[in-house]
Amino acid sequence: MTFRGEDLLLSGAWVLGIGSLIDTIGQTQQTFTHSDQGKDLIIKGNGIEAFGNSLQAIGRTKLLKPERELAQIYTIFGAWLEAAGNSTNAVGVSIELNGAEEEGVKIDTLGSGVQGLGAAFEAVGAFLEEDSSYRELAIIGNSFISLGSFLAAIGNIYVLNEKSIIGERILLVGSWIQVIGAFILLHAITLEVEHIKHEKNPKNGNGNSYPYSYNNYSFTNT
């Protein structure tokens, strides 16, 4: 069974959104209980996010076009970096649960930094894209994910310096910012996939072609 690039791209965006929400629910539990409660959800959420980012990277690789190669390479590289960062987060939190808290937090911090860098690469890739209705949303969404990830790394640094209360609060804020970014990005990718499908099949139900504008969301018959 062959999956089209646009289908992998959209599926990955949905998986990323769901994973980030699960991660944030876990982080919320951990912050308000001041315990390990919620860490299982954080591990699962990051694993799901890693899978979603991987699907996006594979989907964009399938959709690679020579005329947009630089922008797409930034985005693909960024998606793989995010997947690596999420996987590292999951490993770090797992190590924390197994008793090696300091080592686990350090690995989790590294993962958040890598994830933030990956999202920044994706934002640059979106910036390099040609003008479109989804370009600005993609920049904003990825920027939010990058900011939230870097805040998570900062929160972990506070935790390592025995300032757990403020560290957990920063982690919580960063986590929610990532959720917002993930769902903004989902909207951007939904518009992008609609545009890709139109480019592949620019005809209406009567078999007549029509130009379609995403800037004014209008159809004009020819």
Side-chain angles (χ1 to χ4, degrees), residues 53-149:
N53 280 310
S54 299
L55 287 178
Q56 288 189 61
I58 295 168
R60 289 201 179 278
T61 302
K62 283 177 169 282
L63 294 168
L64 195 62
K65 293 181 179 180
E67 67 271 17
R68 294 161 52 198
E69 186 173 356
L70 181 60
Q72 290 175 321
I73 287 174
Y74 271 101
T75 307
I76 292 166
F77 180 63
W80 282 123
L81 272 183
E82 280 200 73
N86 284 127
S87 299
T88 305
N89 288 140
V91 171
V93 178
S94 296
I95 291 173
E96 287 181 58
L97 279 177
N98 288 326
E101 185 173 351
E102 184 175 347
E103 182 182 354
V105 173
K106 287 179 180 178
I107 293 172
D108 190 19
T109 304
L110 174 63
S112 294
V114 171
Q115 185 185 357
L117 184 62
F121 268 100
E122 289 204 65
V124 172
F127 177 77
L128 294 174
E129 283 279 5
E130 296 177 0
D131 288 341
S132 62
S133 65
Y134 51 83
R135 175 175 175 266
E136 186 174 344
L137 285 172
I139 294 170
I140 294 170
N142 282 304
S143 296
F144 268 61
I145 294 172
S146 181
L147 173 62
S149 299

Side-chain angles (χ1 to χ4, degrees), residues 115-220:
Q115 185 185 357
L117 184 62
F121 268 100
E122 289 204 65
V124 172
F127 177 77
L128 294 174
E129 283 279 5
E130 296 177 0
D131 288 341
S132 62
S133 65
Y134 51 83
R135 175 175 175 266
E136 186 174 344
L137 285 172
I139 294 170
I140 294 170
N142 282 304
S143 296
F144 268 61
I145 294 172
S146 181
L147 173 62
S149 299
F150 285 131
L151 282 175
I154 292 169
N156 276 327
I157 291 172
Y158 272 94
V159 171
L160 286 170
N161 286 286
E162 299 181 355
K163 297 179 180 179
S164 296
I165 294 177
I166 187 170
E168 291 288 348
R169 289 174 180 172
I170 294 172
L171 280 163
L172 182 60
V173 171
S175 191
W176 277 107
I177 288 175
Q178 288 182 67
V179 170
I180 294 169
F183 281 95
I184 292 174
L185 184 61
L186 172 60
H187 181 47
I189 289 176
T190 300
L191 290 175
E192 182 179 359
V193 168
E194 288 175 358
H195 179 69
I196 292 169
K197 288 181 177 179
H198 168 72
E199 284 185 330
K200 289 185 175 181
N201 186 28
K203 292 185 177 182
N204 60 22
N206 297 321
N208 299 319
S209 62
Y210 52 74
Y212 180 80
S213 171
Y214 272 88
N215 292 322
N216 55 18
Y217 298 91
S218 63
F219 289 85
T220 306

Side-chain angles (χ1 to χ4, degrees), residues 22-76:
I22 291 171
D23 177 17
T24 299
I25 291 170
Q27 184 60 56
T28 302
Q29 289 181 348
Q30 180 178 309
T31 300
F32 283 102
T33 61
H34 303 291
S35 69
D36 287 340
Q37 184 178 349
K39 275 188 166 64
D40 283 337
L41 286 177
I42 293 173
I43 294 169
K44 291 174 183 175
N46 275 289
I48 293 169
E49 286 182 77
F51 180 57
N53 280 310
S54 299
L55 287 178
Q56 288 189 61
I58 295 168
R60 289 201 179 278
T61 302
K62 283 177 169 282
L63 294 168
L64 195 62
K65 293 181 179 180
E67 67 271 17
R68 294 161 52 198
E69 186 173 356
L70 181 60
Q72 290 175 321
I73 287 174
Y74 271 101
T75 307
I76 292 166

